[in-house]
Amino acid sequence: RKCEDGVQWGPPLRILAPIFDFINHGSSRDGAAEGSANARFGIENDRMCDTRDARLVVRAARDIDEGEEVLIDYGDSARPAWRCLTSYGFVPDYDVSSEAYEDEDGRNVENVAELWMNGLRFEVDPHSVPFDLVEVAAAQAMFDDSVDEGDDAEDGEGGAFTPSIARAIAKRATAAAFNLITEPEMVDSEEDWDSPELVTAASLAALLRWSQHKVLLAFAENLNLFSSSEQAE
């Protein structure tokens, strides 16, 4: 796992850390909420070109109650949810209502979802709309008359993010969200579903679809709120 302390002066050090590797992940962006990270880790006593006294240390980030599980934030390798699944083999239950935050690399969010529109793939989160997605939706509106009557004549031109364009994207996101939780078609009836591996894989896939479903619904809800507020002005 990536350590954020200090400056890396050599190649990444890969080690097995007994006990430390048993510590589970919790988000550090949920404050003191249940299941959030209550500890942090880092390398201490390391010196340039000399790691003999270096120690991997876990320290409490806040008061930890007796019997409470110690949780650390695994960092970028655990975000978004699909990356956490490929990195660690589980799907985190991120809060889609949590606000985006700013790190040293710029704006960041806990989770994103895949959204296809007009044959193009986009990654969306509840707090922002990709400009390319707005352009695609605006172009589509010009061809299929999806812009509601009564909107401004120039609505949608030049990729403008208007209430009608927001509703069109929200409609697509809502449809995609519900498609994710529709029971997938069984294409091979000869699969051995008594196999623990297949059951585990199917369970993880279902959890990831549910995670993406929640992100897309939150994304669509915020788009509809934007559209309503803009039309009310």
Side-chain angles (χ1 to χ4, degrees):
R1 290 157 193 154
K2 180 181 177 182
C3 177
E4 301 292 348
D5 283 5
V7 177
Q8 182 175 307
W9 47 264
L13 180 64
R14 301 185 182 278
I15 60 174
L16 289 176
I19 306 301
F20 174 78
D21 281 333
F22 287 110
I23 303 177
N24 286 323
H25 169 70
S27 175
S28 61
R29 305 171 193 172
D30 293 336
E34 182 178 358
S36 62
N38 52 22
R40 52 184 174 80
F41 68 97
I43 302 296
E44 298 184 2
N45 299 327
D46 58 327
R47 295 189 295 272
M48 186 72 70
C49 301
D50 184 1
T51 60
R52 289 175 297 178
D53 295 327
R55 298 291 185 270
L56 176 60
V57 179
V58 178
R59 297 190 181 279
R62 57 176 172 81
D63 291 341
I64 301 175
D65 296 332
E66 181 178 353
E68 182 181 356
E69 182 182 7
V70 174
L71 299 171
I72 58 175
D73 195 317
Y74 288 4
D76 292 342
S77 57
R79 294 179 178 84
W82 64 261
R83 182 174 288 119
C84 186
L85 176 59
T86 58
S87 298
Y88 301 108
F90 70 93
V91 180
D93 186 20
Y94 288 135
D95 182 5
V96 295
S97 65
S98 62
E99 293 295 330
Y101 81 107
E102 294 280 347
D103 61 10
E104 63 273 13
D105 298 321
R107 189 177 179 281
N108 209 337
V109 292
E110 289 273 55
N111 204 5
V112 298
E114 180 181 74
L115 178 64
W116 287 83
M117 193 164 190
N118 291 6
L120 298 175
R121 178 186 179 276
F122 303 93
E123 283 193 344
V124 300
D125 68 77
H127 310 291
S128 62
V129 184
F131 179 73
D132 291 347
L133 175 57
V134 175
E135 286 190 319
V136 168
Q140 182 63 35
M142 296 175 65
F143 286 102
D144 61 12
D145 296 325
S146 63
V147 175
D148 297 339
E149 293 183 4
D151 284 334
D152 292 340
E154 296 182 357
D155 200 5
E157 291 187 5
F161 187 47
T162 61
S164 59
I165 298 303
R167 290 194 300 273
I169 297 174
K171 182 179 180 180
R172 177 70 191 101
T174 301
F178 283 102
N179 284 340
L180 283 170
I181 59 174
T182 302
E183 189 68 25
E185 182 181 357
M186 301 299 294
V187 296
D188 190 350
S189 60
E190 296 181 0
E191 290 282 8
D192 181 12
W193 286 100
D194 290 332
S195 166
E197 292 81 6
L198 280 176
V199 173
T200 299
S203 176
L204 288 171
L207 286 173
L208 184 59
R209 288 197 302 271
W210 180 248
S211 172
Q212 298 264 298
H213 168 83
K214 292 192 295 182
V215 172
L216 287 172
L217 283 188
F219 175 67
E221 180 183 5
N222 286 339
L223 285 171
N224 285 324
L225 287 174
F226 164 80
S227 176
S228 298
S229 63
E230 287 293 303
Q231 287 188 319
E233 292 180 359

